[in-house]
Amino acid sequence: MKLYTYFRSSAAYRVRIALNLKGISCEQVAVDLRSGAQRRPPYLAVNPQGLVPALEDGGAVFGQSLAILEYLEETHPEPALLPRASADRARVRSLALSIACDLHPLNNLRVLNYLRSVLGQDQSAVDTWYRHWITECFDSLEQEAKRYGSGRHLFGGQVTLADVCLVPQMFNARRFDCDLTSYPTLRAISGHLESLPEFARAAPGAQPDAG
Ligand SMILES: N[C@@H](CCC(=O)N[C@@H](CS)C(=O)NCC(=O)O)C(=O)O
């Protein structure tokens, strides 16, 4: 397998965590988002969506971290990152999607660049935008974490796809100096997960292209 990744990409960070949890060895190819490599022909030939991550396996290449996570879950079922019962699986997907579909796309690099360069917003306005969407998502996620989590996981007592999405999003929130004092449950869960070797090895600072 080959993963097209960038150290600070939270979507790629999700996939790195899942690969580590499932013990899958994978070649990593760095795509430098700072220089715009994701929008140049060599990478567009790999992934026409122009975003990282992309995963190559057995001649197939596809993007979208959630599709990749589901693929890994189907091809390498152990350890399972989705619970067994259908309602529990739906809950975990719902938690993961609230981050991956409702929050992350609003704060993506290309959106922030568009706010700055096309709509002429200054850094303070961009930061306000960023923090607003973090708050919108984390307010509800904190309540759901209390309701469905164990204090160490967003759902139940095992690592799930929801946790795989949470930790990179917490990293992003800290990077943008978001105030996380209102989210003690999310902070406790993330703190626990980040101490696990599979999460630690996937962290941005531990990647070869970090810098
Ligand atoms: N929904 C996609 C989002 C992928 C995505 O937004 N990746 C970001 C990095 S986290 C990216 O490549 N951004 C490049 C850009 O905005 O130009 C996924 O989950 O894979």
Side-chain angles (χ1 to χ4, degrees), residues 45-62:
V46 173
N47 180 10
Q49 294 181 10
L51 299 168
V52 295
L55 186 79
E56 189 174 322
D57 188 30
V61 190
F62 39 88

Side-chain angles (χ1 to χ4, degrees), residues 106-166:
L106 290 161
N107 284 352
N108 193 4
L109 179 63
R110 60 184 173 174
V111 171
L112 303 184
N113 284 344
Y114 192 86
L115 287 170
R116 271 189 217 101
S117 59
V118 179
L119 300 183
Q121 299 301 308
D122 61 15
Q123 191 55 44
S124 153
V126 171
D127 288 345
T128 300
W129 167 279
Y130 194 99
R131 291 171 191 151
H132 171 77
W133 296 114
I134 290 277
T135 304
E136 279 276 307
C137 177
F138 281 11
D139 279 357
S140 57
L141 207 55
E142 173 74 14
Q143 298 314 313
E144 294 190 288
K146 282 187 189 138
R147 201 180 291 182
Y148 307 116
S150 60
R152 295 185 138 206
H153 307 94
L154 264 183
F155 176 87
Q158 306 290 329
V159 175
T160 68
L161 292 185
D163 298 313
V164 167
C165 291
L166 174 69

Side-chain angles (χ1 to χ4, degrees), residues 4-65:
Y4 294 84
T5 176
Y6 174 66
F7 73 107
R8 244 177 356 216
S9 156
S10 52
Y13 188 178
R14 294 171 196 151
V15 176
R16 295 196 300 260
I17 294 168
L19 288 167
N20 292 344
L21 288 167
K22 289 180 178 290
I24 303 169
S25 65
C26 183
E27 181 191 343
Q28 296 208 13
V29 180
V31 180
D32 186 1
L33 300 191
R34 283 167 301 193
S35 70
Q38 73 277 21
R39 286 186 300 274
R40 285 200 286 271
Y43 184 65
L44 292 176
V46 173
N47 180 10
Q49 294 181 10
L51 299 168
V52 295
L55 186 79
E56 189 174 322
D57 188 30
V61 190
F62 39 88
Q64 292 295 338
S65 62

